[in-house]
Amino acid sequence: MNAHRHEAEGNGAVVTPRLLGPAEIRDLAQLLDVTPTKKLGQNFVHDANTVRRIVQTAGVERGETVLEIGPGLGSLTLGLLEAGASVIAVEIDRRLAEQLPHTVRIMQPGTELHVVHDDALRVTELPGEPVRLVANLPYNVSVPVLLHLLVHFPSLRSGIVMVQAEVGHRLAAEPGSKIYGAPSVKAAWYGRWRIAGQVSRMVFWPVPNVDSVLVGFERADVPGTEAERIATFAIIDAAFQQRRKMLRQALSGVLGGSSAAATSVLARAGIAPESRGEQLTMDDFLRIARAAR
Ligand code: SAM
């Protein structure tokens, strides 16, 4: 890479920047002949202030292992390394995965990076035990990627992810709100979620046609066994597939095959059969799964 060199203030010395700006993003994309694809959600951040804000919001600590999904050209990776983290980065695009160690060697030599060239939806082993997830997620798969990582990597205790605003608000939604849905309840299985900031679409190349937010999570102890989670998630899916219907109808397929059978399971769980999925907490859904056993 032809890393852009900037003249340091006053003394005429040249320094290689530690983070990627518009010039470096343009150079790297040219070098790799990368045309960002929508299919892989490739929108690259070219603003160092945004990167530093994400790293700071995530509370990254020196020496800890951070998992990044979709490092792309390395914008956020370099921010995490600058903060002293050891980074494991999972990238599906081979050209980007191969280039990243070179970029890091030039811009931040001596830092610790492991690149895994794989699909984040399939990865089940990592070269280390990350405690924190920090990522600008590919938007079309952000929820399935998050749920996959939370199932397979219990070492992840907290995280900050950048996602499409609508998805972020859904993840952090409380029961009773219009946007509360299956992702909100499933996410709540793993801990507490919050909106941690807005991100302007102007910091990306190419500029996306949606707004973005930062979503934070803190993991809590899971409330049930893995078998209970699977049963609970199936009930959540059924409840929100027909979210306007009363639960005794929406859940008839998964609770005994009839509305009468569903009513009796719901009664055992202490849930009104006339209620709707959007009113229930994750604990309510778990109680239904347990009553159905
Ligand atoms: N982190 C970079 C940044 O902030 O500039 C790039 C973020 S871009 C929104 C998403 C990245 O995820 C792209 O590099 C894309 O190639 C990668 N990606 C898309 N689908 C993926 C998947 N299933 N597994 C791993 N990486 C994926």
Side-chain angles (χ1 to χ4, degrees), residues 1-3 20 24-25 27-34 44 71-75 77-78 81 89 91 93-108 113 115-117:
M1 176 181 68
N2 165 26
L20 300 177
E24 291 78 23
I25 292 279
D27 271 5
L28 278 167
Q30 244 173 31
L31 173 76
L32 301 176
D33 197 18
V34 167
F44 303 113
L73 295 170
S75 309
T77 322
L78 288 160
L81 294 168
E91 173 59 60
D93 186 322
R94 188 181 46 77
R95 293 164 307 171
L96 301 179
E98 283 177 359
Q99 173 60 34
L100 190 56
H102 302 297
T103 305
V104 165
R105 206 168 37 246
I106 294 169
M107 297 185 70
Q108 286 191 37
L113 168 73
V115 179
V116 177
H117 171 219

Side-chain angles (χ1 to χ4, degrees), residues 40-45 68 70-72 75 90-92 119-120 136 138:
L40 292 178
Q42 291 177 334
N43 297 94
F44 303 113
V45 174
E68 184 189 0
S75 309
V90 179
E91 173 59 60
I92 199 169
D119 181 344
N136 173 10

Side-chain angles (χ1 to χ4, degrees), residues 18-276:
R18 292 167 64 83
L19 299 183
L20 300 177
E24 291 78 23
I25 292 279
R26 200 177 48 232
D27 271 5
L28 278 167
Q30 244 173 31
L31 173 76
L32 301 176
D33 197 18
V34 167
T35 309
T37 74
K38 263 207 165 139
K39 188 166 156 253
L40 292 178
Q42 291 177 334
N43 297 94
F44 303 113
V45 174
H46 56 61
D47 179 56
N49 287 335
T50 302
V51 166
R52 291 203 171 104
R53 177 160 73 92
I54 296 171
V55 173
Q56 200 176 28
T57 307
V60 171
E61 289 174 19
R62 194 157 283 283
E64 72 181 13
T65 303
V66 171
L67 175 62
E68 184 189 0
I69 300 300
L73 295 170
S75 309
L76 186 52
T77 322
L78 288 160
L80 294 166
L81 294 168
E82 181 183 62
S86 158
V87 178
I88 300 172
V90 179
E91 173 59 60
I92 199 169
D93 186 322
R94 188 181 46 77
R95 293 164 307 171
L96 301 179
E98 283 177 359
Q99 173 60 34
L100 190 56
H102 302 297
T103 305
V104 165
R105 206 168 37 246
I106 294 169
M107 297 185 70
Q108 286 191 37
T111 52
E112 197 179 337
L113 168 73
H114 298 275
V115 179
V116 177
H117 171 219
D118 205 345
D119 181 344
L121 287 166
R122 291 172 198 275
V123 71
T124 52
E125 272 179 37
L126 292 172
E129 295 217 326
V131 293
R132 209 184 291 277
L133 172 69
V134 186
N136 173 10
L137 290 175
Y139 286 0
N140 40 356
V141 289
S142 50
V143 171
V145 164
L146 276 171
L147 295 175
H148 175 85
L149 298 175
L150 288 163
V151 172
H152 288 92
F153 302 106
S155 65
L156 287 172
R157 299 311 302 170
S158 68
I160 287 282
V161 290
M162 188 168 3
V163 294
Q164 186 178 339
E166 195 192 316
V167 172
H169 287 289
R170 200 175 267 275
L171 281 168
E174 297 286 342
S177 77
K178 273 214 173 85
I179 53 171
Y180 185 69
S184 333
V185 202
K186 290 180 180 177
W189 180 272
Y190 298 99
R192 289 174 301 280
W193 296 72
R194 68 181 195 287
I195 298 293
Q198 321 276 331
V199 181
S200 159
R201 55 179 84 179
M202 299 317 288
V203 304
F204 298 97
W205 174 73
V207 177
N209 49 16
V210 292
D211 289 319
S212 302
V213 291
L214 299 176
V215 184
F217 71 87
E218 296 289 331
R219 205 195 264 266
D221 290 338
V222 288
T225 63
E226 180 59 7
E228 284 174 335
R229 181 190 69 77
I230 291 166
T232 304
F233 279 24
I235 292 169
I236 294 167
D237 284 334
F240 287 100
Q241 261 154 28
Q242 306 182 67
R243 62 182 292 145
R244 293 220 171 75
K245 289 203 174 151
M246 293 182 210
L247 284 177
R248 66 167 181 239
Q249 289 164 297
L251 298 184
S252 58
V254 288
L255 298 181
S258 70
S259 163
T263 300
S264 101
V265 174
L266 288 164
R268 280 207 298 283
I271 305 288
E274 301 77 31
S275 51
R276 292 179 170 76

